[in-house]
Amino acid sequence: LGASPEPGRVLEAEKEGWSWGALVVLIAPALSVGLLRSAMGLRSSGFDVKAVLVGRAAGEAESLDPLGIAAMAVRSEADIHGLGI
């Protein structure tokens, strides 16, 4: 595998084709500064942004609430059932 673009840049490039108000679900081990910045930009552009944080960094989920980003933590397969998926 070669180098991949930063996820935040991919979101910025792709959002032009999305309908206003669309739901954007970010699934990642943690939200990097760039990805968090993009998520906040999406929110201010009228998108509904949710995050699913997977793994040990899932404890960061609660810190996203004040930013208007609902986040869920998935630390194990058992947590997936609690999400109602």
Side-chain angles (χ1 to χ4, degrees):
L1 295 174
S4 60
E6 213 278 345
R9 289 185 183 192
V10 173
L11 286 173
E12 290 298 317
E14 294 294 324
K15 77 176 186 180
E16 300 305 319
W18 301 339
S19 299
W20 183 88
L23 171 63
V24 179
V25 179
L26 306 173
I27 302 172
L31 295 186
S32 66
V33 171
L35 191 53
L36 181 57
R37 191 173 290 132
S38 293
M40 304 254 322
L42 288 169
R43 288 235 343 110
S44 65
S45 295
F47 293 96
D48 185 12
V49 179
K50 308 286 187 217
V52 177
L53 301 179
V54 181
R56 288 181 226 155
E60 299 172 10
E62 290 137 13
S63 66
L64 297 174
D65 282 339
L67 303 175
I69 299 172
M72 294 145 270
V74 175
R75 293 180 188 90
S76 68
E77 190 173 329
D79 289 341
I80 294 172
H81 299 294
L83 296 176
I85 298 174

